[in-house]
Amino acid sequence: DGRLLAAGDADGNAHVMDSTSGSVLRAVSADAAVRATAWSSEESRLVTGSDDGAVVLWDVTTGSAVSRAGEKHSAEVRSVSSRGPNEWLSAGLDGVVALWDDRVAR
């Protein structure tokens, strides 16, 4: 519904913010700089892509990692996108575009 924004930072955090006030509602911590973020269709889950090649799905209500895409990228992830309620796309500087299903990747 557009009420939430997400942004990554060089310190390995993804910040969930209120789009009206700009206040940070929650932050999740990855292991490397977060370069890409994307929302699930219901805005309760956030996927992040990081400099270490990791793609992580987060539950934004708890701040917990729900699943990880595994060994899909050998270089920085620069783009992530939702492809439905359980499927995600990620693209990295390694030239790989990966499709993953969070019902399989844990």
Side-chain angles (χ1 to χ4, degrees), residues 70-103:
E71 303 297 322
K72 300 216 184 255
H73 294 283
S74 61
E76 296 91 342
V77 174
R78 293 301 170 106
S79 181
V80 290
S81 178
S82 173
R83 190 175 176 264
N86 295 99
E87 292 183 332
W88 304 87
L89 291 166
S90 58
L93 293 182
D94 54 3
V96 172
V97 176
L99 171 64
W100 60 284
D101 186 321
D102 66 38
R103 295 167 293 192

Side-chain angles (χ1 to χ4, degrees), residues 1-5 17-20 25 42-43:
D1 64 6
R3 64 182 182 82
L4 298 176
L5 299 173
M17 298 168 283
D18 180 279
S19 64
T20 304
L25 304 175
E42 68 279 352
E43 287 190 352

Side-chain angles (χ1 to χ4, degrees), residues 42-66:
E42 68 279 352
E43 287 190 352
S44 65
R45 298 187 301 171
L46 177 71
V47 67
T48 59
S50 302
D51 275 0
D52 61 357
V55 178
V56 181
L57 180 65
W58 304 91
D59 179 325
V60 296
T61 58
T62 65
S64 300
V66 174

Side-chain angles (χ1 to χ4, degrees), residues 14-32:
H15 304 277
V16 177
M17 298 168 283
D18 180 279
S19 64
T20 304
S21 68
S23 63
V24 175
L25 304 175
R26 175 167 309 278
V28 297
S29 296
D31 294 331

